Amino acid sequence: MKVEFAPLSVPLQRRLQTASVVQWIFSFLGLAQCCTAAFIALFFTRFWLVSALYAAWWLIDREKPSKGGRRIHMLRNCIVWRYMRDYFPIMLVKTAELDPRQNYLVGFHPHGVLAAGAFLNFCTEASGFSILFPGITPHLMMLSLWFRIPFFRDYVMSGGLIPSDKQSASYVLQKPEGGNLLAIIVGGAQEALDAHPGSFTLLLKNRKGFVRLAIQHGTPLIPAFSFGENDVFDQVKNPKGSWLRRIQHWLQQIMGISLPLFHARGIFQYSFGLIPYRRPICTVVGKPIPVQKKHRPSEEEVDQVHQKYLDELSKLFEKHKAKYNVPEDSHLEFI
């Protein structure tokens, strides 16, 4: 006998979608602090052995993040990510086939406030990454400091996140069997400070480390642009030279992370809160740019490949912008 379940009502679906986004925001804004507090607090309770055993495990496992991490497919396929996908919604678009015998380096743009498109498309299966790119295993780079937090490090590794350092990147790109995709949010945390709705400013003009890395490993470069990434949050105006921008830049230099003052809607009202707006995000993955391998590329060789990457990224943006309601007179600005 087959049991059939009635489809969820639209209001219930919307509540579940909102709940999924709330837990995602909490996981990156509050879970790290909670994990640290729990780890320390357990030492002063009768459950002290939990933290002691984890500390021993942490010591043994300390190199795992820089060696590809430890993804858990059950968590990547969790239904909560599909609700998050439908909240905005978020979509992943393929423009070219990828050879599973080859490794790839993807430059993701823009960072946005919380990089929702990068996380959901590369760290979960909600948008069907494995279906679109069969035989390819995605890895997304994240600030290394998050991997120093107990318990939280295991959570972020489960989705395929790895530290944003050269050692971690090289480990993925030098795998001889191929089939690995390393995604780097090139603008990084600093670019988040320019994540205003309708903005297409990319911190990329002097960011060439990822290009040098690709040349050293002979890894094809792929530009990816996430339309709508900057539109899901509003941000307090912080033009360059303003007192707020100077404070944010100072804090970034000290802590390594930027602190954009963002806001959007609330859980039960739409006027103010930290829940993102329901605005579509579409991540378009471009075609690979062949790169000739050279262990020690010259500055001229790096500049040449970097310029080609900028040109291909601009072409990708111009070709697809009309589909995603970007004004005709809007163009990418590299700073």
Side-chain angles (χ1 to χ4, degrees):
M1 179 178 177
K2 183 179 180 181
V3 179
E4 295 185 358
F5 296 93
L8 297 176
S9 64
V10 173
L12 179 57
Q13 288 181 18
R14 293 179 72 87
R15 293 191 192 101
L16 290 172
Q17 291 166 9
T18 303
S20 70
V21 173
V22 170
Q23 70 81 30
W24 167 68
I25 292 176
F26 169 75
S27 69
F28 284 97
L29 297 184
L31 184 57
Q33 293 86 339
C34 291
C35 286
T36 303
F39 178 75
I40 297 173
L42 284 173
F43 276 112
F44 300 94
T45 71
R46 60 191 176 118
F47 300 106
W48 63 270
L49 188 59
V50 174
S51 287
L53 290 174
Y54 184 84
W57 161 252
W58 191 1
L59 181 63
I60 296 170
D61 196 56
R62 63 186 181 279
E63 298 296 330
K64 191 62 178 179
S66 61
K67 293 185 176 180
R70 185 187 302 104
R71 65 185 58 237
I72 300 175
H73 293 287
M74 182 179 69
L75 292 180
R76 283 179 57 88
N77 286 280
C78 184
I79 191 172
V80 70
W81 307 127
R82 296 199 289 275
Y83 284 120
M84 177 180 168
R85 173 200 65 195
D86 295 337
Y87 173 89
F88 292 93
I90 294 177
M91 183 169 57
L92 182 64
V93 175
K94 176 179 73 173
T95 62
E97 297 291 337
L98 300 185
D99 185 353
R101 297 169 298 180
Q102 174 75 59
N103 295 321
Y104 297 94
L105 196 160
V106 171
F108 181 92
H109 315 273
H111 183 286
V113 172
L114 294 179
F119 173 79
L120 192 129
N121 287 319
F122 298 117
C123 298
T124 81
E125 288 295 331
S127 56
F129 182 93
S130 295
I131 298 174
L132 287 172
F133 303 103
I136 303 293
T137 300
H139 303 266
L140 178 65
M141 302 199 84
M142 186 181 191
L143 283 174
S144 300
L145 67 88
W146 297 114
F147 295 88
R148 301 173 191 148
I149 300 174
F151 304 120
F152 187 75
R153 67 188 287 275
D154 300 282
Y155 168 70
V156 294
M157 278 197 294
S158 69
L161 285 155
I162 63 173
S164 56
D165 55 53
K166 187 175 181 179
Q167 179 185 356
S168 303
S170 296
Y171 182 88
V172 172
L173 297 179
Q174 67 188 7
K175 288 187 175 182
E177 68 275 15
N180 292 282
L181 182 148
L182 178 66
I184 301 177
I185 307 177
V186 182
Q190 187 177 347
E191 191 176 78
L193 299 178
D194 289 312
H196 297 275
S199 172
F200 301 104
T201 301
L202 302 181
L203 188 61
L204 186 57
K205 194 173 183 179
N206 295 312
R207 295 285 175 109
K208 302 176 183 179
F210 73 106
V211 174
R212 185 179 299 275
L213 189 66
I215 297 174
Q216 290 173 342
H217 293 279
T219 306
L221 281 166
I222 302 177
F225 193 87
S226 198
F227 292 90
E229 193 75 49
N230 285 343
D231 298 333
V232 296
F233 287 105
D234 289 320
Q235 188 175 165
V236 175
K237 291 184 178 180
N238 58 342
K240 292 182 179 180
S242 65
W243 65 269
L244 176 57
R245 189 60 168 258
R246 288 196 294 269
I247 292 175
Q248 289 174 324
H249 183 64
W250 177 68
L251 290 174
Q252 181 194 346
Q253 289 180 319
I254 295 175
M255 300 185 296
I257 57 175
S258 64
L259 296 172
L261 299 180
F262 64 91
H263 59 89
R265 49 157 289 194
I267 299 177
F268 303 109
Q269 43 76 32
Y270 294 88
S271 57
F272 188 83
L274 297 180
I275 310 302
Y277 297 118
R278 287 180 178 266
R279 293 172 181 169
I281 298 174
C282 184
T283 302
V284 182
V285 180
K287 62 181 181 180
I289 303 170
V291 174
Q292 185 176 358
K293 185 175 182 179
K294 190 170 184 179
H295 183 61
R296 292 182 179 177
S298 64
E299 290 297 328
E300 292 75 18
E301 289 170 326
V302 172
D303 290 343
Q304 184 179 9
V305 176
H306 183 260
Q307 186 58 53
K308 187 173 183 180
Y309 179 86
L310 296 182
D311 294 339
E312 290 298 324
L313 177 60
S314 295
K315 290 178 183 177
L316 182 72
F317 177 81
E318 295 296 332
K319 181 178 179 180
H320 294 274
K321 68 180 183 181
K323 302 175 187 175
Y324 306 109
N325 300 317
V326 176
E328 182 64 30
D329 58 351
S330 295
H331 309 285
L332 293 183
E333 179 186 358
F334 302 123
I335 60 173

